[in-house]
Amino acid sequence: MNNLNEYLGGRIFNTTELNDEQIELLLSIGGKKINAIENNVCQRCLMMVKNNSKLIYCRSCINLGRISERDQLIISPAEALFSDRSPSLQWSGELTIMQKKASEELIMAYNTGVNHLVWAVTGAGKTEMTYPLIERIISDGKRVAFCSPRVDVCIELFPRIQAAFPQVSIGLFHGKSEETYSLTQIMISTVHQLIKFDKAFDVLIIDEVDSYPLAGNEMLEKAIYKAKRPTGNLVFLSATPPKRLIKDVENKKITISKLYQRFHTYPLPQPKCHMLFKSSDYFRINPRIKLKIKKLIENNERFMLFFPKIPAMLKFSESLKIIFPELSFVDVSSKDEQRLDKVSQFRKKEIQAILTTTILERGVTFKNITVIVIDADAKEFSKTALIQIAGRAGRAKESYDDEVHFYYQSYNRQVKQACSEIKYLNRQASK
Ligand SMILES: [Zn+2]
């Protein structure tokens, strides 16, 4: 086996994925062989297996390949020796005083092995805040995984972290990736990939911990704890943390850093609210929205349009083509296989506008854009989603005052709460 690194690092394999020689080698260097299903619990994803068919198999993690009661798993050794690369951080930026404080708190949590939550407003520079911690982990010869529930976020994170730590081995892994896994000191991956690991990482940084599909997904939550080494710790990052973690903070089970300020110290753009008296697709496109789009096109300004549902977006997209044939734009959703390419087209400024569902509500950063939410009162837009979407604007120092517009027919609870929470966060930041 000349590509041994592809198998190492606390990975879980079904023996059917390996040949005899590979199994023998992995066992000889400290790998473990276990039954795939033990006491009705799947040993890969730790979910209960329902005993309702002749051959018992795990339905929960079946997307990663079926494992049944007849199967055995091999867990490859998690120990790894990384050569000393200190000082490893090659980032030329500078942390603000607030970011620095949070980054010191992260190192403190790492030293004491306590799990830590960073509650930072959108655009606070969460990723950069973790650099001193990652540097420390590297210099200690330890291993870190930086994970997000969303593929798009992982793809955006990878080049940034690679540029900050150019001499450190780093891998990007997700379901859509064609790159094969290899043991690296830094792994960027979707949370889903963690199901395939056992006690593998000294530190796991989980970005956007409140977002789909992680929020409320028992299997993924278990995967995070399972992939961590017993001596390691977890770092959760979020602009809108789930109640469960806030409770853990209140009960002193985990520690917290709070950041109300964006990295460029300017406030979050306060959404401008527009009540529509007719639906957003009235006359194909509601005249007030149409006027706004017309102005954006005339001024050659780039913009994002958010929709609650795919059909509404596609209908709007058709109308847009008819009314503004000169506008170059794409539409993306979770079901769109070309999503990553289209987002990259928008990022490279090859097109002026992007129509999207909540799939791009977080994790993506564009400079100099106007953000518009169509039907902000729809049930698909929770308070959290609206805050995240508004947070797409004003992320760059040179365009800190990008505009955010909410269009709706009823000024309901979620719109009201999102607007007042943004106001509150800005007030806290200016104190
Ligand atoms: Zn399973």
Side-chain angles (χ1 to χ4, degrees), residues 70-327:
R70 286 191 203 144
D71 289 323
Q72 289 198 301
L73 303 178
I74 299 273
I75 301 173
S76 71
E79 293 73 30
L81 274 179
F82 298 105
S83 49
D84 188 10
R85 298 270 184 226
S86 55
S88 55
L89 181 59
Q90 305 277 316
W91 180 61
S92 56
E94 213 175 301
L95 296 177
T96 62
I97 295 168
M98 297 301 286
Q99 282 178 312
K100 213 165 176 192
K101 182 169 173 280
S103 77
E104 282 162 6
E105 288 164 349
L106 278 172
I107 291 179
M108 214 141 55
Y110 165 76
N111 285 338
T112 48
V114 177
N115 296 343
H116 191 83
L117 166 66
V118 177
W119 183 354
V121 295
T122 55
K126 280 179 291 169
T127 310
E128 291 79 5
M129 260 178 262
T130 66
Y131 288 171
L133 171 66
I134 296 175
E135 185 181 32
R136 177 64 191 282
I137 296 165
I138 304 294
S139 77
D140 285 350
K142 294 188 172 177
R143 191 174 180 216
V144 58
F146 203 126
C147 305
S148 164
R150 298 194 175 209
V151 175
D152 312 52
V153 177
C154 294
I155 290 171
E156 175 152 330
L157 264 174
F158 180 68
R160 288 167 65 193
I161 297 189
Q162 193 176 36
F165 297 94
Q167 305 196 41
V168 182
S169 60
I170 173 167
L172 170 67
F173 304 103
H174 55 78
K176 290 180 184 161
S177 159
E178 284 172 11
E179 195 183 334
T180 37
Y181 164 88
S182 172
L183 173 64
T184 53
Q185 198 163 10
I186 303 176
M187 180 175 100
I188 314 284
S189 82
T190 52
V191 177
H192 259 107
Q193 296 297 316
L194 296 179
I195 297 169
K196 297 187 222 162
F197 289 88
D198 186 70
K199 302 182 191 71
F201 301 95
D202 296 289
V203 179
L204 281 152
I205 301 170
I206 312 291
D207 197 9
E208 309 284 1
V209 62
D210 58 304
S211 83
Y212 177 83
L214 171 57
N217 184 320
E218 196 188 343
M219 177 173 65
L220 294 181
E221 280 174 14
K222 284 184 174 181
I224 292 170
Y225 289 84
K226 176 181 62 115
K228 176 182 86 73
R229 290 199 174 174
T231 50
N233 79 323
L234 302 174
V235 172
F236 301 107
L237 310 178
S238 178
T240 43
K243 283 195 187 114
R244 171 178 63 85
L245 284 181
I246 304 278
K247 259 213 177 105
D248 283 352
V249 173
E250 284 166 3
N251 295 332
K252 302 213 169 12
K253 283 189 194 157
I254 64 173
T255 48
I256 187 169
S257 302
K258 280 188 193 173
L259 272 108
Y260 296 113
Q261 200 179 52
R262 290 192 139 181
F263 79 94
H264 51 46
T265 71
Y266 292 104
L268 299 158
Q270 186 68 41
K272 294 181 171 43
C273 291
H274 309 272
M275 170 93 89
L276 299 175
F277 297 103
K278 301 278 187 203
S279 70
S280 54
D281 60 358
Y282 182 65
F283 276 151
R284 283 187 187 270
I285 293 177
N286 185 296
R288 290 185 63 191
I289 301 175
K290 197 156 75 184
L291 186 67
K292 179 74 206 168
I293 295 176
K294 189 167 173 264
K295 273 192 190 152
L296 289 166
I297 297 174
E298 282 169 2
N299 297 336
N300 205 18
E301 287 178 54
R302 290 165 9 100
F303 57 98
M304 297 181 85
L305 285 170
F306 283 86
F307 295 85
K309 281 184 179 159
I310 298 173
M313 175 182 80
L314 296 178
K315 198 172 160 206
F316 199 96
S317 166
E318 285 308 311
S319 305
L320 211 52
K321 275 181 207 156
I322 295 166
I323 301 170
F324 301 108
E326 73 279 23
L327 175 67

Side-chain angles (χ1 to χ4, degrees), residues 42 44-45 58 60-61 67:
C42 168
R44 179 166 65 186
C45 72
C58 179
S60 304
C61 64
I67 51 177

Side-chain angles (χ1 to χ4, degrees), residues 36-37 41-49 57-62 64-65 67 195 219:
I37 293 173
V41 175
C42 168
Q43 298 302 300
R44 179 166 65 186
C45 72
L46 302 183
M47 296 297 283
M48 283 292 289
V49 177
Y57 66 94
C58 179
R59 286 167 200 267
S60 304
C61 64
I62 195 158
L64 302 172
I67 51 177
I195 297 169
M219 177 173 65

